[in-house]
Amino acid sequence: MILNFKTQSLDLATPRIMGILNVTPDSFSDGGEHNTVATAIDHAAKMIAEGADIIDIGGESTRPFATPLSTTQELERVIPVVEALHARFATPLSLDTSTPEVMRAGIAAGADMINDARALQRPGALAMAASLHVPVCLMHSQGEPQQMQVSPHYIHCPAEVTHFLLARAAQCEQAGIARDQLILDPGFGFGKRVQHNYELLASLEHLCTLGYPVLIGLSRKSMIGKVIDAPQVHDRIAASAAAAMLCVERGARIVRVHDVAVTKQMLQVLQAVQNAKKALEVACS
Ligand code: PT1
């Protein structure tokens, strides 16, 4: 599987790292310290040096109980950062947005793909994404950030998530988005109890066999904090990397993370294991 951006492509035969760049004052794990263009540039430069393959730029916090943002506010936060990063770095840029106007302006400013936690369900988002001809990540969420953790309920969480994502992918294809431009994401932490999140992780292999690349984001999330009893997000780094590794082993192709260096190291170990496995197969044949 290859992601085709306008001016470059990314081969997903190798698992890829998407580094998180929050430009939200209330961002859940960095306290909004990257809220200026200059600090955004520094943070992106660090993640790129550590091995990030994509930088995901988000102006709206979608963590549980986050408050909604106006389109104007989102544009004011995101577009200057996209312009600045596009001018300085060749690394593909992803827009973490559900807002059609931010998609249009962000791609015009040099972003390479769209990452939508609402899976293009906002009015106008599907048509806008189709008109932009860029890769799109469709993520599952049960409800909006403000209320999604109030009472998540499923009969069979992984089956319902898969059903939703396949239905959205079909609607995207009908709207004119090429099948090979779509990425699926089970949406860890989005309207899910801890148990639901681990059911999704345990069954991730199935989602990864449907013909679409799978992206996962669980970095520093409460699903990690709960099982290791770490109320502080900075105490969740090693466990987040371990969980990302379990997802890649099950077939995820892109991991969305805060901690690029540690994630890169664990992917290198996984690569060494896979190389050794191949060498053994050759030796035995
Ligand atoms: C994600 C994701 C995202 N997550 C994609 N985009 C967030 N494609 C933002 C918690 O439980 O997984 N995939 N954009 C951040 N959202 C959350 C959700 C942050 C839950 C924290 C939690 O702590």
Side-chain angles (χ1 to χ4, degrees):
M1 287 187 258
I2 294 174
L3 274 190
N4 289 305
F5 304 119
K6 293 235 165 88
T7 56
Q8 59 185 313
S9 59
L10 195 61
D11 190 344
L12 300 180
T14 314
R16 299 296 182 172
I17 298 173
M18 172 181 267
I20 301 169
L21 186 67
N22 286 313
V23 286
T24 61
D26 62 343
S27 171
F28 84 106
S29 67
D30 62 16
E33 69 212 36
H34 305 294
N35 198 22
T36 67
V37 172
T39 49
I41 292 168
D42 289 351
H43 188 210
K46 177 169 185 278
M47 291 195 290
I48 291 165
E50 290 175 349
D53 301 292
I54 303 171
I55 300 295
D56 189 43
I57 306 163
E60 182 207 4
S61 175
T62 49
R63 79 179 196 278
F65 311 110
T67 46
L69 194 70
S70 78
T71 300
T72 314
Q73 283 174 310
E74 197 184 346
L75 284 168
E76 281 171 1
R77 284 185 196 172
V78 168
I79 303 306
V81 172
V82 173
E83 283 171 348
L85 298 190
H86 180 66
R88 283 167 183 79
F89 307 111
T91 306
L93 304 177
S94 164
L95 291 168
D96 189 348
T97 189
S98 303
T99 315
E101 183 57 23
V102 176
M103 295 174 186
R104 191 200 60 71
I107 299 297
D112 298 276
M113 65 170 280
I114 294 163
N115 168 29
D116 185 1
R118 295 180 184 80
L120 304 179
Q121 293 181 107
R122 275 212 178 141
L126 183 54
M128 178 57 77
S131 76
L132 295 170
H133 304 284
V134 294
V136 180
C137 178
L138 302 171
M139 198 201 78
H140 175 273
S141 177
Q142 187 176 85
E144 282 284 313
Q146 271 184 306
Q147 336 88 14
M148 67 188 181
Q149 290 309 115
V150 175
S151 65
H153 60 93
Y154 299 86
I155 306 292
H156 189 297
C157 180
E160 289 169 49
V161 167
T162 299
H163 180 263
F164 169 84
L165 290 173
L166 285 178
R168 282 313 289 161
Q171 278 157 334
C172 287
E173 287 159 36
Q174 261 164 31
I177 302 178
R179 190 186 165 86
D180 67 4
Q181 297 271 76
L182 294 173
I183 301 162
L184 305 184
D185 181 341
F188 288 118
F190 285 85
K192 284 135 191 145
R193 298 189 190 285
V194 174
Q195 175 70 17
H196 296 137
N197 289 306
Y198 284 93
E199 288 172 11
L200 282 171
L201 204 167
S203 66
L204 197 67
E205 232 180 303
H206 178 249
L207 186 63
C208 296
T209 58
L210 302 176
Y212 300 91
V214 168
L215 182 156
I216 62 93
L218 43 65
S219 182
R220 301 183 181 180
K221 286 186 181 176
S222 49
M223 67 176 282
I224 302 297
K226 293 271 168 58
V227 299
I228 63 168
D229 191 19
Q232 303 294 324
V233 289
H234 287 95
D235 295 328
R236 301 175 182 174
I237 295 171
S240 294
M245 160 111 84
L246 294 172
C247 292
V248 173
E249 261 207 304
R250 284 162 176 73
R253 304 323 294 164
I254 305 174
V255 292
R256 181 182 181 278
V257 303
H258 298 89
D259 305 290
V260 174
V262 62
T263 306
K264 181 77 187 180
Q265 289 178 346
M266 76 145 205
L267 289 179
Q268 286 169 321
V269 171
L270 193 60
Q271 188 64 56
V273 174
Q274 282 162 358
N275 290 346
K277 197 174 169 193
K278 274 196 202 117
L280 282 172
E281 282 163 8
V282 171
C284 292
S285 68

